[in-house]
Amino acid sequence: TQNNLGNAYQNLAILEAGEMNLKLAIQAYQSALLYYTPDTDCVAFAMAQCNLGNAYRKLADFETPRQNLECAVQALQVALQHQTPEKTPLDYAKTRGNLGLVYKDLGMINKAIACWREAEHSYREIGYIDVANGVQWWIDEALKNGDGE
């Protein structure tokens, strides 16, 4: 329920009171993580960590960008400890893509591109070709703008 409440607050933040609703989403995800642990429900734990990371990334638009982006990186990296291309390929690809976006926001373009390449490969492996092409576009744009390698 706490994870779903966090999702609701995160969606509501798009419509109104963005900063406040994102803070409420973060609180809800943190509450969910009191119950979801790697031992009790590894998949739900990773999903809540990913949701938490995404909420921190969005909160960075409102306050303390660097701090919130670093919190986002931490949460997404924890999620990736429990998501693999073999066990949860779609979740792995989504989280890798999201981590790439956070790295981009931090100005760490080479790290962003590395994450996006992993995501793009995973999406292709599971047949999500249109999504893979979208991620490839992010990579191409970063390289075209001279941001990457």
Side-chain angles (χ1 to χ4, degrees):
T1 301
Q2 287 294 324
N3 190 64
N4 290 339
L5 181 61
N7 290 340
Y9 278 127
Q10 199 164 172
N11 288 330
L12 187 57
I14 297 167
L15 301 173
E16 62 185 49
E19 182 178 1
M20 181 189 73
N21 282 313
L22 288 168
K23 287 179 179 181
L24 291 170
I26 288 168
Q27 288 175 355
Y29 295 134
Q30 289 170 335
S31 293
L33 288 166
L34 296 174
Y35 300 95
Y36 292 147
T37 68
D39 295 328
T40 61
D41 190 337
C42 188
V43 172
F45 172 79
M47 179 187 357
Q49 287 285 353
C50 186
N51 290 339
L52 179 62
N54 292 335
Y56 273 120
R57 177 176 181 253
K58 292 174 185 173
L59 185 59
D61 289 339
F62 294 96
E63 66 175 35
T64 56
R66 182 144 198 98
Q67 177 184 345
N68 282 310
L69 292 171
E70 288 172 358
C71 288
V73 167
Q74 182 178 14
L76 294 168
Q77 286 177 337
V78 170
L80 285 168
Q81 291 173 7
H82 304 281
Q83 297 170 332
T84 65
E86 298 78 28
K87 288 191 321 187
T88 55
L90 181 57
D91 291 336
Y92 174 82
K94 287 178 182 179
T95 304
R96 274 279 171 213
N98 288 334
L99 182 57
L101 291 172
V102 176
Y103 282 136
K104 178 183 175 281
D105 292 347
L106 283 166
M108 302 171 144
I109 302 304
N110 288 335
K111 283 189 172 191
I113 290 172
C115 285
W116 292 336
R117 286 184 188 204
E118 284 284 323
E120 186 264 341
H121 175 75
S122 292
Y123 280 125
R124 286 198 195 286
E125 286 287 310
I126 58 175
Y128 282 67
I129 305 305
D130 289 342
V131 180
N133 290 341
V135 174
Q136 182 62 53
W137 183 85
W138 293 346
I139 295 167
D140 293 343
E141 285 298 301
L143 292 173
K144 182 173 68 176
N145 292 328
D147 295 334
E149 329 175 318

